[in-house]
């Protein structure tokens, strides 16, 4: 039961253009969404997050958009830089019955071409 | 520098052998986690601990065991009962606050392979 899905395993974008990474979820109980970035042979690092009560959060070149009716979120990177080449994981948090659960998507490998 | 240290970076297991992956953090975080990453899959939760001397099973706990005797340490043992142990293992920690966007801080991982 994949509650958080990243349907594109890979994405290739030219340097300087916009990168858009997508994530879909099935459970309306998620109340926070996060994006993590991962380089090979390293642990993921937190990038940006958004609360379910918002529809946009921006931090420098990174913007996350949340569409609750479509159960969809996206990460926009503009302009894309070579150092952005990494695997990006979408994650969602839900709180219920005294438990807090974090669920990750499968990841999207972003390649920025010069 | 504060952070999470995982060791070893690479580990090989023989058939029928138990191996232990180390995870130490000096961030003073209450919560610690073990995740497994397989190619083409997301991070799957093995075990987590929100407080010393207490831990809970995650989604794929079978074949694994943990202990949390100290706040700083959360070792993971991959037992012989885990039939497909080859994967990249990630340890993480967080300041556990109920109802917040819990940001995890990850170690650099251990790649476990079967000989």
């Amino acid at each position: 039961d994949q509650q958080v899905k990243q349907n594109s395993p890979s994405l290739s974008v030219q340097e300087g253009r916009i990168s858009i990474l997508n994530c879909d979820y099935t459970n309306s109980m998620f109340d926070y969404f996060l994006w993590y970035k991962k380089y090979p042979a390293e642990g993921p690092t937190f990038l940006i997050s958004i609360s379910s009560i918002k529809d946009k959060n921006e931090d420098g070149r990174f913007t996350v958009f949340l569409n609750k009716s479509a159960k969809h979120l996206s990460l926009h990177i503009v302009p894309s830089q070579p150092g952005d080449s990494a695997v990006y994981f979408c994650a969602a948090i839900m709180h219920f019955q005294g438990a807090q659960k974090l669920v990750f998507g499968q990841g999207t490998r972003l390649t920025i071409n010069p | 520098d504060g952070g999470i240290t995982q060791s070893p970076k690479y580990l090989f297991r023989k058939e029928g052998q138990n191996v232990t992956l180390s995870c130490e953090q000096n961030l003073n975080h209450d919560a610690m986690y073990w995740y497994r990453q397989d190619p083409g899959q997301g991070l799957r939760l093995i075990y987590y601990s929100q407080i010393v001397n207490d831990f809970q099973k995650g989604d794929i706990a079978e074949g694994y065991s943990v202990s949390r005797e100290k706040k700083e340490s959360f070792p993971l043992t991959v037992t012989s009962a885990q039939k497909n142990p080859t994967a990249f293992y990630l340890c993480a920690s967080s300041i556990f606050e109920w109802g917040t966007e819990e940001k995890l801080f990850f170690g650099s991982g251990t790649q476990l392979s079967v000989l």
Side-chain angles (χ1 to χ4, degrees):
Chain A
D1 178 22
Q2 189 74 32
Q3 297 188 69
V4 178
K5 294 182 182 180
Q6 294 176 257
N7 292 316
S8 298
S10 63
L11 176 67
S12 186
V13 174
Q14 193 170 4
E15 182 179 357
R17 307 292 283 268
I18 184 171
S19 296
I20 300 176
L21 295 95
N22 294 303
C23 180
D24 297 300
Y25 62 96
T26 57
N27 195 326
S28 57
M29 292 179 66
F30 288 130
D31 45 19
Y32 287 97
F33 301 89
L34 304 88
W35 285 93
Y36 284 84
K37 175 180 179 179
K38 183 183 181 301
Y39 292 118
E42 293 184 10
T45 55
F46 170 78
L47 192 57
I48 191 170
S49 64
I50 187 167
S51 164
S52 61
I53 63 173
K54 296 185 176 181
D55 53 19
K56 177 182 175 181
N57 188 27
E58 192 171 354
D59 184 2
R61 296 186 297 113
F62 303 92
T63 303
V64 56
F65 295 93
L66 176 63
N67 182 335
K68 288 188 290 293
S69 60
K71 293 190 175 66
H72 176 84
L73 67 154
S74 60
L75 174 67
H76 292 213
I77 306 173
V78 55
S80 300
Q81 299 174 354
D84 296 330
S85 294
V87 176
Y88 290 79
F89 288 99
C90 168
I93 298 176
M94 78 170 104
H95 303 89
F96 71 106
Q97 296 177 349
Q100 179 165 294
K101 185 171 184 179
L102 178 65
V103 181
F104 284 88
Q106 308 96 309
T108 296
R109 181 178 302 279
L110 175 65
T111 302
I112 305 301
N113 302 309
Chain B
D1 284 336
I4 300 178
T5 302
Q6 287 187 244
S7 62
K9 195 164 183 65
Y10 300 96
L11 186 59
F12 297 91
R13 192 192 91 165
K14 295 180 181 178
E15 290 288 340
Q17 185 183 41
N18 292 355
V19 292
T20 298
L21 285 63
S22 170
C23 178
E24 303 279 332
Q25 56 101 356
N26 59 5
L27 299 168
N28 199 33
H29 286 169
D30 289 312
M32 296 188 74
Y33 310 80
W34 275 105
Y35 285 89
R36 167 177 171 147
Q37 183 188 11
D38 294 278
Q41 297 198 38
L43 306 180
R44 293 184 291 167
L45 182 64
I46 305 172
Y47 267 99
Y48 66 99
S49 168
Q50 294 174 349
I51 195 170
V52 174
N53 292 323
D54 186 52
F55 48 83
Q56 307 294 329
K57 292 182 179 180
D59 299 320
I60 55 166
E62 186 174 350
Y64 300 97
S65 66
V66 293
S67 63
R68 186 85 188 277
E69 297 177 0
K70 299 186 300 181
K71 187 176 184 178
E72 303 79 21
S73 179
F74 192 42
L76 173 74
T77 297
V78 184
T79 74
S80 56
Q82 173 49 246
K83 298 306 178 188
N84 185 22
T86 296
F88 190 58
Y89 290 85
L90 286 160
C91 178
S93 70
S94 71
I95 300 171
F96 180 69
E97 286 186 59
W98 176 259
T100 66
E101 49 165 12
E102 188 178 11
K103 298 176 189 176
L104 268 58
F105 294 80
F106 286 87
S108 55
T110 294
Q111 176 63 51
L112 175 62
S113 303
V114 177
L115 289 176

